[in-house]
Amino acid sequence: HDSNPLMRSHGVESVNGSVTSPKLKLDTVTDRDRLSLDARVDRSFYDLKGFSSADYFSTAEIGRRGETWDASFGVSLGYDTTRTSELEASGVNIAGIRHTTLGFTPKLTLQLGPVDRLLLDPGVLRSFYADKRRYTNYDVYSANPTVEHDVDESNTALLVVQTSRFRTTTGPATEIDSVGPMVGWRTALTPALTLQALGGLRRTMPSYAPETRNVEKDTWSYGYAVDLTYRGLQDQVRLSAKRTPNPFATGTQAESTSFGLTYTHAMTRQLDLGLGLSYLRSTSSSGGRTSDTTSVSLNPSLTYHATETLDARLDLRYRERMVTLGDGHAHGNAIVASIVYRPQSFTLNW
């Protein structure tokens, strides 16, 4: 049950429904080669028109490792609706619009010496919408070459050159280029506690079609990415924070700041208590107007491990969403009861 799935401040409609999600994961690994496939189907049924759907998600990767290098190529495909993939970010709250994403992620790691590595990871993300009147198709091209230097067994210094291009493929022509350096540090504070922190500057260079009446100039901004992870015997905690560009379905790119916390405590061998907190603020400009969207969510959960292959889980979720333009202030509550069955893994001899 969700009291406000589209997070509207007026015309609120609640939904009741179910989602069935079969998932297949295949992995094959040798001394030099690896191949993986991860595929999932979400079949949902709701009592509100336009919400029921069949959604598909898959990723595949092939890789090979040499003595001084590691190369891989990944492909991802998503075929869902804007209700699941675009609601929080885009601000265009319309259910059931088909959304397809296609991503390509080649990666290459070169060992430059005993303690130095070079990482190359160019990527392409293509986004398509069935409703081109309300949504704008776009491509995102990125490359973040990274040099890593191992200071000692527990510490690594990082130097990153972040580059990206956002380009609309329908509607008014828009291109936004971003480039800038980041420096960072990765450390194992204890065997159970790790930290990675990156920070730097970014030059943003937009180019808009005349009909958008958008006259933004080149700007400098700052960005960061922090990830703190603790893995204990009973407790697991992950704290993350980042400030990065984020593509919008409205045909522009937003500056997004996010914070997240996930916590799991094993109360007994069979019972886990979980807590999730998230904060997302996105600011974007379009047509001479600035939109500022803030979303906050709280998600406590309880998981019962009935057997090695069967879990029962209960999730509660509270969300708030504040928008300077459009829907104003909205909030909603949801409750989800889940049963998860995981057959034991098996081996195929090719």
Side-chain angles (χ1 to χ4, degrees):
H1 171 79
D2 195 325
S3 67
N4 189 4
L6 293 181
M7 295 304 290
R8 290 173 172 166
S9 58
H10 56 276
V12 176
E13 293 181 289
S14 63
V15 298
N16 299 285
S18 66
V19 182
T20 304
S21 303
K23 181 178 180 178
L24 176 66
K25 184 176 179 63
L26 299 175
D27 292 286
T28 178
V29 180
T30 67
D31 291 340
R32 296 193 61 186
D33 302 310
R34 62 186 182 276
L35 176 67
S36 66
L37 172 67
D38 197 331
R40 189 181 90 240
V41 178
D42 290 352
R43 186 64 177 104
S44 61
F45 298 93
Y46 293 97
D47 59 359
L48 190 62
K49 183 179 179 180
F51 270 72
S52 299
S53 65
D55 305 328
Y56 310 94
F57 308 90
S58 63
T59 60
E61 184 181 55
I62 184 171
R64 169 164 285 195
R65 180 173 58 249
E67 292 184 1
T68 60
W69 57 272
D70 188 296
S72 65
F73 185 83
V75 179
S76 63
L77 173 66
Y79 179 72
D80 62 353
T81 70
T82 52
R83 175 181 56 79
T84 56
S85 63
E86 289 286 332
L87 177 60
E88 290 296 332
S90 72
V92 186
N93 297 345
I94 305 167
I97 305 303
R98 275 297 173 186
H99 177 216
T100 303
T101 56
L102 181 62
F104 303 95
T105 53
K107 295 181 181 178
L108 176 64
T109 302
L110 299 173
Q111 194 73 36
L112 303 178
V115 296
D116 297 307
R117 290 175 300 279
L118 173 64
L119 284 70
L120 303 174
D121 63 342
V124 178
L125 175 66
R126 307 204 67 189
S127 186
F128 309 92
Y129 299 91
D131 186 348
K132 297 179 180 61
R133 295 176 302 167
R134 297 186 176 98
Y135 292 85
T136 302
N137 294 350
Y138 61 83
D139 295 340
V140 177
Y141 307 90
S142 63
N144 302 288
T146 303
V147 176
E148 296 186 351
H149 173 76
D150 295 331
V151 178
D152 54 38
E153 292 183 355
S154 301
N155 295 277
T156 301
L158 309 170
L159 174 63
V160 183
V161 179
Q162 50 183 343
T163 65
S164 68
R165 166 170 286 188
F166 169 87
R167 181 175 67 90
T168 59
T169 56
T170 61
T174 298
E175 283 189 359
I176 302 177
D177 293 328
S178 299
V179 61
M182 297 185 79
V183 295
W185 197 267
R186 183 169 61 239
T187 180
L189 300 172
T190 70
L193 185 63
T194 59
L195 170 67
Q196 177 169 300
L198 286 162
L201 297 175
R202 183 175 62 251
R203 181 70 169 176
T204 301
M205 297 160 284
S207 175
Y208 299 97
E211 60 267 29
T212 65
R213 294 184 296 177
N214 201 328
V215 292
E216 284 190 47
K217 299 180 180 180
D218 295 0
T219 58
W220 282 99
S221 60
Y222 64 94
Y224 55 82
V226 180
D227 198 312
L228 179 67
T229 303
Y230 173 78
R231 295 184 178 91
L233 295 177
Q234 283 188 287
D235 300 287
Q236 295 189 23
V237 184
R238 182 180 180 186
L239 178 64
S240 62
K242 62 181 180 179
R243 188 175 192 266
T244 58
N246 187 32
F248 264 28
T250 51
T252 187
Q253 185 171 257
E255 194 70 48
S256 294
T257 301
S258 63
F259 301 94
L261 170 67
T262 57
Y263 170 68
T264 303
H265 173 69
M267 302 177 66
T268 67
R269 294 183 62 182
Q270 291 184 296
L271 196 62
D272 290 347
L273 178 65
L275 179 66
L277 296 169
S278 68
Y279 168 91
L280 172 65
R281 182 180 181 183
S282 297
T283 304
S284 64
S285 298
S286 179
R289 300 190 303 172
T290 299
S291 176
D292 192 338
T293 303
T294 301
S295 299
V296 181
S297 69
L298 171 66
N299 179 201
S301 64
L302 191 65
T303 303
Y304 175 67
H305 305 289
T307 69
E308 291 184 357
T309 60
L310 186 66
D311 292 345
R313 178 178 172 123
L314 181 66
D315 283 85
L316 304 176
R317 183 179 64 183
Y318 174 77
R319 293 187 297 167
E320 284 199 16
R321 187 167 182 270
M322 292 75 74
V323 184
T324 55
L325 298 174
D327 285 340
H329 189 173
H331 62 87
N333 298 284
I335 181 170
V336 180
S338 308
I339 295 177
V340 181
Y341 173 64
R342 294 181 304 276
Q344 294 183 352
S345 61
F346 59 93
T347 301
L348 295 176
N349 294 318
W350 300 95

